[in-house]
Every structure is written in C-alpha cells, then in structure tokens.
Amino acid sequence: MSRKPNYEFQEWWNKQRENHGSHHDLFLPETTTTTTNDPSFLTVEIRTPTADSTVGKDRSRSARQISWLCLLRFQQIKNSVAYLTNGFLSLLKTARRRIASPSRRRSESKMYRAIKAFLVILVVLLVFELVAYFKGWHFSPPKVRSDYVEIVYAEWIEIRARYLAPALQSLTNVCVFLFLVQSVDRVVLVLGCVWIKLRRLKPVALMEYPADTDDVKVEDYPMVLVQIPMCNEREVYQQSIASVCVQDWPRERMLVQVLDDSDDLDVQDLIKAEVQKWQQRGVHILYRHRLIRTGYKAGNLKSAMSCDYVKDYEFVAIFDADFQPSPDFLKKTVPYFKGNDDLALVQARWAFVNRDENLLTRLQYINLSFHFEVEQQVNGVFINFFGFNGTAGVWRIKALEDCGGWLERTTVEDMDIAVRAHLCGWKFIYLNDVQCLCELPESYEAYKKQQYRWHSGPMQLFRLCFMDIIHSKVSWAKKANMIFLFFLLRKLILPFYSFTLFCIILPLSMFLPEATLPAWVVMYVPGIMSVLNILPAPRSFPFIVPFLLFENTMSVTKFNAMISGLFKFGSTYEWIVTKKLGRSSEADLISIMENESAPLSENPSHKRSSSESGISELTKLEMNRKSGKNRRNLLYRKELALAFILLSASVRSLLSAQGIHFYFLLFQGVTFLVVGLDLIGEQVS
C-alpha cells in the first residue's frame, strides 16, 4: 500500500529552493499536481539554472577578466610577430654579410649572362604591366589609343598574341611531353621495385663463408686486391684505411693499395705513417704515389692496375676515401662470383653517417635512397646492368681487362667502364642488403661541384661511346635501353625539361598569358613524383615540399653541366674532389681497432699501444681540422638571378589572380634565394 504524499513538506521545500536561488541543484523533486494513478509522489526534473541576476553575474566575465584576456592575446600576437621579425631580420643580416664579405672574383659564364639578360627583360615587362594594371588595361585592353603608352601597350598585346605566345606554347608542349615520359619511367621503376619486394627477388650466392676463419682452408678464399684512391683526404684517410685493414679475410689472400694523389706534403706524410702503422700489424698494405697526376681518379686506378703483382689477384674491391666498409664486406660480396663466370661486378649500397646533419644532407638522402632502392635494384634484377657507383664494389679483374681497363677520357670513369663491360657481354649484380658507410657533402659548394661532375660526365661519355653502342654485339633491346633510358631520358631529358619548364617557361608564361601552363603540370604531377621519390625514405615525408623545391633549384646546375658536357663548354674535364669533413664515428673506429688488434699481433703491449696510437692520431687529426683555412659562405649568382626572375613572375601572377601559379613561383623563388645566399647546408664564418 503506497504512502500518502506529504504536501506540506513539499511546499516548504519549494519555498526554500526559490529563496536560496541555488543554480547548482539541477535534479530536484517536484510535487505532482495532477490527479493520476501514479503511486509515486516525487518526480525528477532536469532544470536549467534560473535567470537570476546573481547567477548571470557569476557566470559572465568581469571587465578585469576581459582586459586580462585581451592582454594575453596581444602578448601572444606580439611574440609571434617578434619571432617572425627576428627571423626575417636575421635572414637580412646574413644576406647583407654575405654580400659585403670579400669573395673570389669569378668570370661570368655564358649561362649567367643569359639568365641576367632574361631577368632584365622580365623586370622591364613587370614595370610595364604594373603601369597597365593601375590604368585599368590589365583586364580590358585600351581601345582608344590616345597617347603613346596606350599605343605601345596595344602593339605589345598584338605581338605577344600573334608571334611570341604560339612559340612559347609549342616549347611548353614539348617540355610537358618529355615531363610525362620521364614520369612514366619513374612510375615503371617504382612498380618494378614493388614487384621485387612482393616476390622477394634478390641475388643468391652459391656459397657462403663462415663467420669464424680459424678452421677454414685458406685456399677457399680467392686473392683480392683492395684499392683506396685518395687525394688530399686529410679528414678521412685514417678511418678509410682502418676500415679496409680490419676486413675479416685471410691476410695472405688480400693486398691493400693506398693510391695517394695528394699534392700536400703534410697529408702525404700522414698517410705514409698510417700505412706503416698497419704494416707493422701484419697487414699486407702498400703506399703508392704518382709524381705526375694525370687522368685524375681513372689515371690513378689505371696506374695501380699496371703493377706486375696484380696478375696474381682475381678480384679488386674499390673504396673511395670517405667509405668505411664493415669487416664482413668481402665475405658478403665475393661469394656471388662463385659459379657466375660472366659476372663482372658486385655493387653494394651506400649508407650515410651524416644524413641528419642538416637540411641539405636530408634532401640528398631522399634522392640517393631512391637511386639505390629503386633504380639500381630494378636495373640489377631485370636487366643485370646499372651504372657503377665508383666505389663500394668488387670487380672481376678479367672483366676490367676484357673491356679495355680504366680510361682517362671522362670524369665519370666508373660509368665509362660499366658501359664498356656491358657492351662486352658482362653482367652486374646489385646487393641492396649490403651497405657501406660513407659521408654526404654538408656544404652547398661541395654538393654543387659533385652534381656538376655527375651530370657533365655522362654527356661526355654519351658523345664518345654512342657509335660503340650502335656497333656493339649486344641485342637491340639492350642498345635501346642504354641509349634512350640510361643516357637520354635519365641524364639529358630530366635536367633539360626540369630547368626549361620551371625556370624559364613558367615565369615567361606569366608575362605571355596567351600561352598556358596547366596547374597539373605545375603542382599535381610534380607532387606525385615527389611522393614516389620519397617512398624509399618514409621518415623523410615531412621534407617532401622542401625536396620538390630544392630539386627544381638544383636543375640550373644540372642543366648547365649537361650542356657543358654535351658541347664541351667550360670546365667539362675538370675534376674537383668533393670536400669531406670526416663525420664518421671516431669512437667506433677506435673500438674496431681494439677488437681487431689481437689477431694482428700476439704481443699484449702492442694491443695497448695501437689503441693509444689511434687516440693520439685522432687528436692530431682534430687539431689539423681546427687549424685549417677558414672558409666563407659564397654567393651563387645564377641562383640569385633566377630567384629574382621567379619573384618578379610571382608579382605578375598576383596581378592576374592566377592562384596556384603564384604560390609555386613565390615559394620556388624564395628557395632559389635561400640557396643563392648559401643559407642551406653547412654554415661557416
């Protein structure tokens, strides 16, 4: 039996609730005023706070709170503006210091003079277009030609529509076609790499060397010659020699040749002392120095291969001065020659000790990761041919002799000998899982010189070996691959369309609006290609936009090198050694020396002295580094001129309200400006 409701208590409770005006009690009992059969006398009601004046005063912000909030917002805005202003002022101060600092006087190249003339023309056109814009002629050309300016502008519109725009549009269509062909090639390479990953395709060796060499027959190990060509490598000579000397290979089956082309007497003495140190430890190592340095690296290698004792060796491994192979490098590469009598080269992949050093090394890492992971691997698996990288590879000496040996006719002797060996019917193997540590250039100056040599040399070689390819006995499919893909598409067409399309046609089309460059050519396809490029280095995805802009910036250097090599302009045959800083882990090198000193010497005291000697020589190396000549950042005139060209075109694009073209031109122009002021890479005083 239900209890009778207590109406007196309920009325008292409601009065107390209204008197106190509490806005915290949201779930309150309420009397049931209607006569129903519901036995319950309490109901739960969700009530909103009452619109009491006190409640409104409590929930609203006071004037003091609003003022403090505004001050906080202003402070945040002030800090943001100050940060951007300080960054901009720092950039201006750095640019001013670079411009004011004394620099080497360099003669103006033909390309720089052409770019400067192009800049002057675009600046004049920009001034002319600004006048037309403020007179209202930009969207509606003048119909009544009342003064001289109107007549000139009307005639200019007619000339550009009738003569200039059609020629520019034809050049644009050609470059877009080449761009699409090269993009298709890039997609095919990526698909080939995906197929290799899915099917787990990789070279297989018929034999394998055990990790422990104590209980094996020495005769099972072939005779290997190891060559280290170097020239004034003060920073890296010690670590490269040590990495080779600690190879896990029988000492009597390996000979190390240190091929020193240094013209610095101090460096020669240091390298000689390093060689003598390893000779005392029982390593078969020789020091060779040429009195007449002809042919650069190719001449150095050719001279070393002419020694009488080379005939006793079956294979030769080559390492540049900044490369540090792991102790089991020979054990991982030499077995692939067993049973493959037509195999000439086993190439290992590069790994980088300083890939995260600065923005420049990060961008280089993206590019080289695609080269090794995709290009080299796909070509090695499907056609058994690729360009020799000049280092971190093992050659069959018989193959070198069969194709004519090292020639001094180009600055890309590695590509030269690879092409000749392929035309003689030899095959190559690329090992993506065998890595060799090396160092990336950290300054833009060193990187630019390296890229110039890498892109001028192939064009030299193409001129010299074109007829040899045509008359060779290889199949027509291999001839077509070598001519159209290996040389033309990837070495000539790529720098040509990249520079012409994005540095010449795009800014010029802003001043000749009758010639159009679609947005998908400017942004979408390059963006997709950048994504494909960065897939082998997924950790670098945050740098995808800087990578796209920087690759377009480097197109001026690559285009200039390609033209110089193709037509024998400028310093085509000049070899400049890439500057290295010795970024490898010196502590790891000492650890290797200590771990390997026991097999090299039976005297415990010798073990201690070798470690101490390593520490002292590393200290001396560091002192030599600090006492070296001070280098200054440079100004790069071609990049600066192109920066002003692109920024002028972006202003013209802004007048035409061309959206995506404006943003691309603006960011690309800023990138050229940063590179031209040498603000990317290693920063020195």
Side-chain angles (χ1 to χ4, degrees), residues 155-169 512:
E155 291 296 331
W156 160 245
I157 293 177
E158 185 176 355
I159 291 173
R160 79 185 189 189
R162 180 175 297 183
Y163 303 106
L164 300 180
L168 181 62
Q169 189 65 56
L512 304 177

Side-chain angles (χ1 to χ4, degrees), residues 608-671:
R608 288 194 301 271
S609 64
S610 65
S611 176
E612 293 169 0
S613 174
I615 295 175
S616 63
E617 292 193 10
L618 289 174
T619 304
K620 180 172 63 176
L621 176 64
E622 187 66 25
M623 293 177 62
N624 289 333
R625 243 183 239 157
K626 292 180 180 179
S627 62
K629 295 181 180 179
N630 291 330
R631 187 182 68 82
R632 293 182 178 273
N633 292 90
L634 303 175
L635 292 177
Y636 299 98
R637 297 177 296 180
K638 285 193 290 290
E639 285 80 356
L640 289 175
L642 285 168
F644 292 119
I645 287 174
L646 294 170
L647 293 175
S648 300
S650 68
V651 176
R652 178 63 177 85
S653 175
L654 184 62
L655 298 179
S656 303
Q658 291 191 3
I660 197 168
H661 294 78
F662 164 73
Y663 291 110
F664 180 84
L665 288 167
L666 177 63
F667 291 128
Q668 190 65 70
V670 172
T671 305

